[in-house]
Amino acid sequence: MYVATKGGERAIGAAHAWLDETRRGDPSLPELTADQVQAQLGLAVDRVMAEGSCHDRGLAALAVKQSRGDLIEAAFLLRAYRTTLPRFGASVPLDTNTMAIQRRISAAYKDLPGGQVLGPTFDYTHRLLDFALAAGGHVPSGAPEAEASREPTPRVTEMLAREGLMQREAASEDEPGDLTREPLSFPADRALRLQALARGDEGFLLSLGYSTQRGYGGNHPFVGEIRMGEVAVGFTPPELGFEIDLGDITVTECQMVNQFKGSRTEPPQFTRGYGLVFGHGERKAMSMALVDRSLRAAELGEASDAPAQQQEFVLSHCDNVEATGFVEHLKLPHYVDFQSELENVRTMRASVEAAK
Amino acid sequence: MSILARAAAEDIAARLQDLPGLPAHRRLRGPETGLVMVRGRAGGDGAPFNLGEMTVTRCAVRLPDGTVGHGYVAGRDSRQAELAAVVDALMQDPARAPGLEAAVIAPLERAQAARREAQARKAAATRVEFFTMTQMR
């Protein structure tokens, strides 16, 4: 029996009013501003920009505030907002070689040209809760400064490539596919895979990356290089016909260096796994690089039987906005579907009883 | 244009205030906010791929003499995009360009260079200086 139900409006209105009140929390405490979120919860903002696939720190901070700190909900809000905006075009590809480096480390070379620069990192902290922060009123003493380096910071992968020990990337200026315009179809090429991974869920990619290290499609990686800092975004407006800078954005890049046994056509050498994300997102960039490399198994003639090597599995499930939509839709009314299931089970039971 | 794209609207406006007799302008388009798809390259130097979008605001203005100026700036600040377009238009007049360069562009550029230098100095302080321990035998 199908019964149209109405009458939820009042309840929904009241629920949203309560949500508003709960978001605000104790009114005797000062209200958190989006600017404070942007300045002081910067890594949450960066994650929302990466997974929301839209670089705008102010909007991401507002989304974090509105979602009460639910970062997947925040990414969802940002994705929804971007659909209201026209697209002016595509940027010139970022040149991460010209990055104004805040952090740059290599686990493969100790003495690399340009040096190892730690930047603002949690690494080497003791992971002890700092109760001074709970007390408030803490004013940082100010980061020390030193003579700025003028040394160039060449890519580790380029140093290896010059020796012929690192597989070169395919030189191509082909227009990359865009999964926001055309739904993914399989097999997906590397450009589409990198786009999907760049906006993929950090937790999902972290676990998949971890699985490759534990032997599910192992690819023996070294962190060739991680770098984080500002890069200029170039754009060529059609009405001007020449390239201009739109400004700078912060990105994190990870180059994983992986051993490759060689094939009939290629000598033994290193191959790359590549990660690039908006903001300071080192764990995400590393996870992306591990998964990018594992998804290259087929093109490199390696076995691809582990989950992280199967592109249809990885790419169809890495988007947390899509995933949350499908998982959470289960809580919406399914009264009619369930009614039919109920009928079914009752009929089956009756026939089992009758056969006794 | 790259200097204006990195400057806050109030800083551009404050610099323009020092210049007397600027002509009024008319908006031709916008200011309007949209998206630019930011691209990266596979492996840093390979084939382009779509990394994700960023918000960008643009504006086109016309001066009374017919000169058209364009502004394209990262983010959603309409005023910044409009001021950038106005300065772009004014800079096309060779009589005005040196004055604008000195009063608006150069000070903004210096402030941006100082900010970059401060970042680079902090980064340099976190550079690791390895020293080799006496070899164990």
Side-chain angles (χ1 to χ4, degrees):
Chain A
M1 187 172 60
Y2 177 75
V3 183
T5 48
K6 278 191 77 134
E9 294 94 334
R10 192 193 46 78
I12 291 170
H16 289 170
W18 197 7
L19 168 66
D20 252 356
E21 195 181 292
T22 313
R23 175 190 297 117
R24 177 60 181 85
D26 181 350
S28 69
L29 294 172
E31 186 186 345
L32 188 63
T33 67
D35 283 346
Q36 287 171 340
V37 173
Q38 190 180 328
Q40 297 174 46
L41 298 176
L43 298 186
V45 169
D46 286 352
R47 181 164 179 183
V48 169
M49 290 196 304
E51 293 171 13
S53 200
C54 182
H55 191 288
D56 187 311
R57 296 186 62 78
L59 288 177
L62 172 61
V64 171
K65 175 176 173 173
Q66 187 177 333
S67 66
R68 306 176 57 206
D70 178 337
L71 301 187
I72 294 184
E73 180 73 18
F76 195 166
L77 290 169
L78 201 51
R79 291 255 189 114
Y81 181 81
R82 71 158 279 281
T83 63
T84 66
L85 297 176
R87 191 187 283 180
F88 298 156
S91 82
V92 177
L94 299 180
D95 182 2
T96 51
N97 223 6
T98 60
M99 180 184 285
I101 285 186
Q102 290 177 34
R103 174 166 167 79
R104 186 234 194 180
I105 53 164
S106 170
Y109 287 106
K110 179 166 70 73
D111 298 307
L112 76 165
Q116 308 251 5
V117 176
L118 299 180
T121 179
F122 292 124
D123 293 354
Y124 315 108
T125 62
H126 294 115
R127 266 74 183 206
L128 298 173
L129 276 176
D130 181 357
F131 290 97
L133 288 175
H138 168 71
V139 181
S141 53
E145 297 187 7
E147 183 67 33
S149 165
R150 310 275 170 231
E151 241 182 287
T153 49
R155 298 175 200 285
V156 164
T157 47
E158 181 55 32
M159 287 154 55
L160 285 165
R162 262 191 229 133
E163 272 191 75
L165 294 176
M166 168 62 73
Q167 188 185 51
R168 290 241 176 232
E169 291 291 347
S172 155
E173 292 305 326
D174 289 351
E175 191 68 13
D178 182 354
L179 58 82
T180 68
R181 294 291 163 96
E182 290 282 331
L184 261 184
S185 62
F186 299 101
D189 66 17
R190 181 126 182 257
L192 278 171
R193 299 197 310 252
L194 287 169
Q195 183 182 12
L197 296 176
R199 54 198 254 138
D201 182 70
E202 177 172 320
F204 181 77
L205 297 178
L206 173 67
S207 294
L208 278 177
Y210 181 39
S211 75
T212 67
Q213 290 180 279
R214 292 195 63 255
Y216 292 87
N219 47 35
H220 314 290
F222 291 88
V223 168
E225 189 177 350
I226 292 172
R227 52 171 74 192
M228 183 276 289
E230 289 184 344
V231 282
V233 184
F235 178 67
T236 307
E239 65 273 30
L240 290 179
F242 55 85
E243 187 185 327
I244 57 167
D245 275 1
L246 298 172
D248 300 311
I249 62 171
T250 297
V251 294
T252 308
E253 180 185 57
C254 174
Q255 302 265 12
M256 287 283 184
V257 173
N258 303 264
Q259 202 192 95
F260 173 54
K261 285 194 197 74
S263 65
R264 221 171 289 167
T265 50
E266 302 236 31
Q269 58 189 317
F270 292 110
T271 54
R272 301 171 215 217
Y274 186 67
L276 183 67
V277 292
F278 284 148
H280 188 181
E282 198 159 298
R283 186 187 303 118
K284 166 71 181 281
M286 293 177 76
S287 306
M288 175 175 170
L290 287 173
V291 177
D292 170 47
R293 176 58 181 81
S294 64
L295 289 178
R296 297 180 64 199
E299 77 188 55
L300 293 168
E302 298 166 343
S304 25
D305 37 21
Q309 294 168 325
Q310 287 165 19
Q311 56 163 280
E312 190 158 354
F313 175 77
V314 174
L315 303 181
S316 305
H317 301 118
C318 68
D319 190 308
N320 57 22
V321 175
E322 258 172 44
T324 202
F326 203 56
V327 167
E328 295 204 42
H329 103 281
L330 291 174
K331 69 192 173 187
L332 298 176
H334 283 66
Y335 308 135
V336 178
D337 309 49
F338 188 67
Q339 198 65 38
S340 83
E341 289 277 305
L342 210 54
E343 292 288 311
N344 248 325
V345 173
R346 282 191 179 128
T347 313
M348 289 189 297
R349 273 187 80 121
S351 61
V352 170
E353 295 289 324
K356 269 187 187 164
Chain B
M1 284 177 102
S2 61
I3 305 291
L4 296 166
R6 292 175 171 90
E10 62 264 27
D11 293 339
I12 306 174
R15 297 288 171 194
L16 279 175
Q17 253 174 5
D18 301 342
L19 290 173
L22 292 181
H25 66 275
R26 201 163 60 78
R27 290 174 180 175
L28 284 181
R29 180 180 66 189
E32 57 176 343
T33 297
L35 298 166
V36 164
M37 175 57 90
V38 180
R39 287 186 174 159
R41 289 186 180 279
D45 53 6
F49 70 94
N50 291 309
L51 173 65
E53 290 158 319
M54 69 188 282
T55 53
V56 172
T57 303
R58 68 181 175 188
C59 187
V61 299
R62 193 202 302 270
L63 301 183
D65 68 0
T67 316
V68 174
H70 295 277
Y72 270 84
V73 300
R76 286 167 294 125
D77 191 337
S78 317
R79 191 147 171 263
Q80 184 196 359
E82 184 164 0
L83 288 169
V86 170
V87 175
D88 179 52
L90 293 171
M91 293 281 288
Q92 291 171 49
D93 177 355
R96 285 188 196 277
L100 279 160
E101 176 66 39
V104 182
I105 306 295
L108 292 173
E109 189 171 15
R110 276 198 297 276
Q112 289 167 19
R115 199 191 68 85
R116 270 198 304 274
E117 175 71 12
Q119 288 269 324
R121 289 181 59 81
K122 283 183 192 173
T126 68
R127 181 168 168 168
V128 182
E129 304 296 344
F130 286 103
F131 53 90
T132 312
M133 312 279 279
T134 318
Q135 198 126 52
M136 306 278 280
R137 285 176 203 279

